[in-house]
Amino acid sequence: MSARLLLLGGTTEALCLARRLGAETVYSLAGLGRVPDDLACRVRVGGFGGAEGLAAFIVSEGIELLLDLTHPYAAQISHNAARAAEIAGVPCWALRRPGWQPGADDDWREVDGWDELTRALAPFQRPFFTSGREPLAHLHEIPEHQNWTVRCLQAEPAPTRAEIIGARGPFSLDEERALFARIRCDVLVSKNSGSASTEPKLQVARELGLPVLLLRRPELPVVAREFAELGALYEALSL
């Protein structure tokens, strides 16, 4: 495809796509985690100023197609993308990665938001959070009977009864088994991202008979075209 593209990224799939695109593409990242420096396309880091700012960028850069390959839980960005495309008069295509599905031996429990999650965690002593940075804002609220392990993109100093691990997937099954054994967690907290690169933690939880608390997926906007997997998007772009 010869159209000028704006790719909203931050996921494994977005980086895979960015590696196949040339200088006419703008690859946009929020700024968390490592910024790739080996791409042929232009990399832009930082926000746009909401839907209106994004629309202005699309117009000023002559963007002809907006691609939303952000995380399934980046709902605000996805809504801004859909609205910006409408304002700017360009199509928006999105990769809507399917969520994980529980097996017969899984104990998965969906929760809505932090308050419901906190109540669900009350019976446990050693939760392992793999749900992003949100738990970091609540480290001062750790109940006396709990010790938290939080894995997110960037490590930082942790208070008493907490450990913050900075790491980016993919994580192998053996790596996850070793980590679960070391931290001795009794419940896993996760977003249902559907990513193969972070799925091994669910297999380890299954092997150990641990319950999994999953933050419910947000509603995402309808866009011009949606794709469930990256290969179909490649084909539509004729890559």
Side-chain angles (χ1 to χ4, degrees), residues 57-201:
F57 181 87
I58 290 171
V59 172
S60 67
E61 293 288 329
I63 300 299
E64 300 168 87
L65 175 61
L66 178 60
L67 300 175
D68 178 10
L69 274 71
T70 57
H71 194 276
Y73 285 77
Q76 187 60 61
I77 298 175
S78 291
H79 281 281
N80 286 347
R83 177 58 181 153
E86 181 182 2
I87 294 171
V90 301
C92 179
W93 295 1
L95 183 67
R96 299 287 192 240
R97 182 197 297 162
W100 295 311
Q101 297 298 318
D105 297 327
D106 288 320
D107 179 7
W108 291 8
R109 312 169 192 180
E110 282 196 323
V111 295
D112 288 304
W114 185 260
D115 290 341
E116 187 174 336
L117 173 61
T118 300
R119 292 191 293 271
L121 283 174
F124 301 99
Q125 296 182 324
R126 305 187 68 87
F128 177 28
F129 294 88
T130 62
S131 53
R133 296 183 59 82
E134 184 179 17
L136 303 185
H138 300 275
L139 293 176
H140 62 288
E141 304 171 5
I142 301 177
E144 293 185 0
H145 71 287
Q146 289 184 351
N147 287 270
W148 290 9
T149 301
V150 180
R151 184 168 67 192
C152 51
L153 292 180
Q154 297 176 341
E156 58 182 68
T160 304
R161 292 183 287 109
E163 178 183 0
I164 302 172
I165 301 171
R168 176 188 291 271
F171 303 106
S172 72
L173 189 56
D174 287 342
E175 287 172 332
E176 295 292 64
R177 284 171 175 151
L179 179 59
F180 274 63
R182 181 179 70 79
I183 65 177
R184 296 181 293 113
C185 59
D186 57 359
V187 62
L188 173 65
V189 180
S190 178
K191 293 176 177 176
N192 190 352
S193 69
S195 172
S197 67
T198 56
E199 189 172 9
K201 63 188 175 186

